[in-house]
Amino acid sequence: MSFFRKQASPPDETTSKSSLGLRINVFFFSTFIIFCVIIIRLAVLQFVEGPTLTEVETSRDTKNVPLAAIRGVIRAAGGEELAYSTSVQSLYITLTKEYTAKTTDKATGETTLTPEAKAKGEALAARLVEDFHKYGDPNAVQLTQEDIIDSLDLYFKKYSGFMARRIKAGLTSDEVAYFMEHKSEYPGLEIVEESSRHYDKDTVAVQTIGYIKPFKSSSSLDIYKNIQSAMKKIDADPGLSYKDDEFVGFDGLELQYQRELRGKNGYQVISVNPQNMAEKVEEVVPPVKGNDIWTTINKNIQLKTEQAITDQISWLHTHSVQGQTHPDALTGYAVAMEVDTGNIVAMASMPDYDTNVWTAEKMDTDVWNKIMGNYQNGTITPYSSGMSGHEFGSTVLLGSTIKPLSVLIGLNEGFFSTSTVYNDKGIAYFGKNDNASVRNASGHVYGSMDPARAIEKSSNVFMVDMVGKKLWEKYQSSGIGVWDKYMKEFGLGVSTQSGLPREYLGQINYTNTEAAGSAQAALIYASFGQQGRYTVLQLAQYASTLANEGVRIKPQLVSKITDSEGNTVKEFGRQVLDEVTTFDKSFWNEIKKGMNSDVTAFTDFPYDFARKTGTSQQTDRTNKNRDNGVFIAFAPRENPKLAVAVVIPEGGFGSNSAAPIARKIFDAYDWEYGLDGVPKKNVKSADSAADGTGAATKGTEADPTGAADTTN
């Protein structure tokens, strides 16, 4: 029995070990096969499918391409369109690889187009030139092959590869029809609807309205430097991005209200491939039209102001005044500002020009040469419209127009009273041992006078003896600072706060005591208007401040902003900048009484008004004295409505050169709004309807502001 149980023991150990080894071998072999498959797959992914997968992944990257909004309208006070945009069709081309293939010179490292790509680009440009010539406007400036190659930007110097290139704007209907029919024959051709900027052909206040330039040409301006910095931020709103070829405001109201006029760009979200070329438009966000700007400029008053300046300059060339003509009077400037609101109803810098030249495909040299001297606003800058033959700018010395303020200063400082009587001997002495002197214009001797008569007769010697010398006696050299304080309170030497870009603050000469000879001499010359040059807008604000008895208000050029639906977004009203409270009411009565110069141009003016003529002398580059005509006024004298300032460089006496222009401005305002609050056009229209004569026409008795009156 025991033997039997021993034979029934577990299986043979050799067999068991053999089975285990087989299983281990199968496991390792299977593992080896799996690893081989994985390695082979990884190799396939890396070396075979890798580039494709990389391109697919990269193609998921997107770029935002701006879509320009329609720019808002700049309107005159009556709603007339002074700057507006219309829809145009533009031709764009998106480059394909065969046009941008590059080769690198191993020796120099310079990258250039391959011969094939260069030939293709030149052939494309040549064909487009031929097509434009055949189907385009024959009267328009013709694009050359070089122009088109530059627009294609084959080296990506101006645009990224995925950006469509604008080749031509303002296509004719024939061009649109042709290119749409032959679209497949051109690489990435698109016809895109865009806007084109236009300006009133009547050239209304063109330097004030301003002009536009492409964004890529506007980087010198701070506003666009800030925009470029903002656009680089990761979280920047794509709608605030600018296209390089997008037109933006570069001067005047176009620049001042750039953000409001522009609206908000739309944009396309475009997926791009590794070559940075467009693959697919993922999303389109439409642009938002810009707002409209309503200016305070009255178109009729503005045009009559411009015509009055032009006519008066012509008159000065052909008519003798005090024995001489003034052929060097080539420019003129005028600003009309409402006393109670600050609204600028006219701002003229003549000669002017057609602003539409800025929106052309390119500006010819001849065109630039014609406008280079008069495209800037001479009423707020020292740059003359056309520059006179002796290089006088638009900011001339104040001349006698300073005398109302000079008398106010003397009264306020207690140098004399409203009843003081001064004996004008025609000459005043100053300096060490009275070795220097000042005379009245034309050597006049006026005898006994009170402060008001000193203003009316424009007595230089009164201002020297009673203001300039006494400031020196009271304050010594500190008198310069006292004088400067008074000037700035009335807006002379500080910003008018109009907001217009590039506004000049004036040239203050009285602080240069070395040039004057001494601090006393600087005060002497300043007292009668020979030590400060200011803009015409500053003069208008100064006249308005006199009319408002020391209240300086902001010149308003815009009354409101409306959206594309006509809803008011913002309104602008009267804004007080400064208020001088130290002057007694009797002082104001005295200077208003004195602002009573005898001016022939106003002989039949139906309103009592305050005015002051000025004739500032400046030495030209040949060391010859030149007389500049200056005139300020406000009307009516009591309850004034309108303040006017006019400057005619090298025009001679202000009473003969500048005053006649101011008369026509007052007449034009009276016609449109009424200096007494009753528009005369309404009265005349009612009279005409009553007697059956019909509506008034320009230059007729019903409208006295028509033809320029050349009687001085």
Side-chain angles (χ1 to χ4, degrees), residues 62 107 123 128 144 163 181 207 211 244 251 264 295 308 438 547 553 592 598 600 634:
T62 60
L128 286 170
T144 65
M163 296 287 290
E181 184 178 349
Q207 296 97 336
Y211 59 93
D244 282 345
D251 198 11
K264 187 175 182 180
T295 74
V438 171
I553 59 176
K592 287 184 179 181
D598 185 17
T600 305
F634 56 84

Side-chain angles (χ1 to χ4, degrees), residues 60-87:
R60 294 173 186 167
D61 188 19
T62 60
K63 305 292 183 181
N64 296 320
V65 178
L67 300 172
I70 302 294
R71 195 171 181 83
V73 179
I74 300 179
R75 300 180 182 275
E80 302 93 335
E81 295 182 341
L82 303 182
Y84 57 96
S85 298
T86 59
S87 177

Side-chain angles (χ1 to χ4, degrees), residues 414-487:
F415 299 154
F416 51 85
S417 70
T418 57
S419 59
T420 297
V421 177
Y422 169 80
N423 185 27
D424 183 319
K425 298 179 180 179
I427 188 170
Y429 297 94
F430 67 97
K432 187 176 182 180
N433 300 320
D434 286 341
N435 61 344
S437 63
V438 171
R439 295 180 182 273
N440 290 328
S442 303
H444 286 301
V445 178
Y446 295 111
S448 297
M449 58 172 54
D450 60 10
R453 180 173 167 79
I455 298 172
E456 180 178 350
K457 293 301 180 182
S458 207
S459 172
N460 291 338
V461 300
F462 179 96
M463 307 303 156
V464 172
D465 279 342
M466 303 301 286
V467 183
K469 288 170 67 173
K470 290 187 179 297
L471 275 171
W472 166 255
E473 292 168 1
K474 182 176 181 179
Y475 296 104
Q476 296 295 298
S477 59
S478 297
I480 296 293
V482 174
W483 178 268
D484 186 61
K485 176 178 178 292
Y486 280 116
M487 294 299 105

Side-chain angles (χ1 to χ4, degrees), residues 74-79 253 256-257 292-298 338 341-345 498 554-562 568-574 673:
I74 300 179
R75 300 180 182 275
L253 296 175
Q256 183 179 350
Y257 289 93
D292 291 353
I293 304 298
W294 292 71
T295 74
T296 58
I297 299 290
N298 181 287
E338 286 187 334
T341 66
N343 288 347
I344 301 297
V345 297
S498 70
K554 176 182 176 179
Q556 293 286 1
L557 281 151
V558 173
S559 61
K560 64 179 179 179
I561 300 175
T562 59
T568 299
V569 175
K570 187 175 182 179
E571 290 185 289
F572 301 89
R574 185 176 191 264
Y673 298 113

Side-chain angles (χ1 to χ4, degrees), residues 211-213 247 353 355-360 363 368 371 375:
Y211 59 93
I212 58 176
K213 290 178 69 173
F247 278 94
Y353 71 108
T355 329
N356 290 292
V357 298
W358 294 103
T359 59
M363 186 183 294
W368 169 246
I371 74 167
Y375 72 94

Side-chain angles (χ1 to χ4, degrees), residues 267-394:
Y267 56 94
Q268 291 178 324
V269 180
I270 296 179
S271 57
V272 297
N273 65 15
Q275 288 74 40
N276 215 25
M277 308 297 282
E279 289 287 305
K280 179 183 178 184
V281 176
E282 304 287 348
E283 182 185 2
V284 177
V285 177
V288 178
K289 185 180 183 297
N291 292 330
D292 291 353
I293 304 298
W294 292 71
T295 74
T296 58
I297 299 290
N298 181 287
K299 180 175 179 178
N300 293 334
I301 299 175
Q302 177 71 30
L303 289 177
K304 289 173 182 177
T305 300
E306 294 171 1
Q307 189 62 50
I309 295 174
T310 301
D311 290 343
Q312 187 65 16
I313 290 173
S314 177
W315 189 93
L316 290 169
H317 293 175
T318 56
H319 289 69
S320 176
V321 178
Q322 296 184 338
Q324 62 177 322
T325 57
H326 295 276
D328 293 322
L330 303 177
T331 64
Y333 314 91
V335 174
M337 176 178 174
E338 286 187 334
V339 172
D340 51 350
T341 66
N343 288 347
I344 301 297
V345 297
M347 176 177 272
S349 181
M350 301 299 290
D352 61 3
Y353 71 108
D354 184 359
T355 329
N356 290 292
V357 298
W358 294 103
T359 59
E361 286 289 329
K362 62 179 181 178
M363 186 183 294
D364 289 340
T365 302
D366 291 343
V367 174
W368 169 246
N369 290 337
K370 289 179 181 178
I371 74 167
M372 63 183 295
N374 56 12
Y375 72 94
Q376 300 190 70
N377 190 344
T379 67
I380 63 163
T381 71
Y383 307 116
S384 175
S385 287
M387 294 294 279
S388 72
H390 299 280
E391 298 184 358
F392 283 0
S394 56

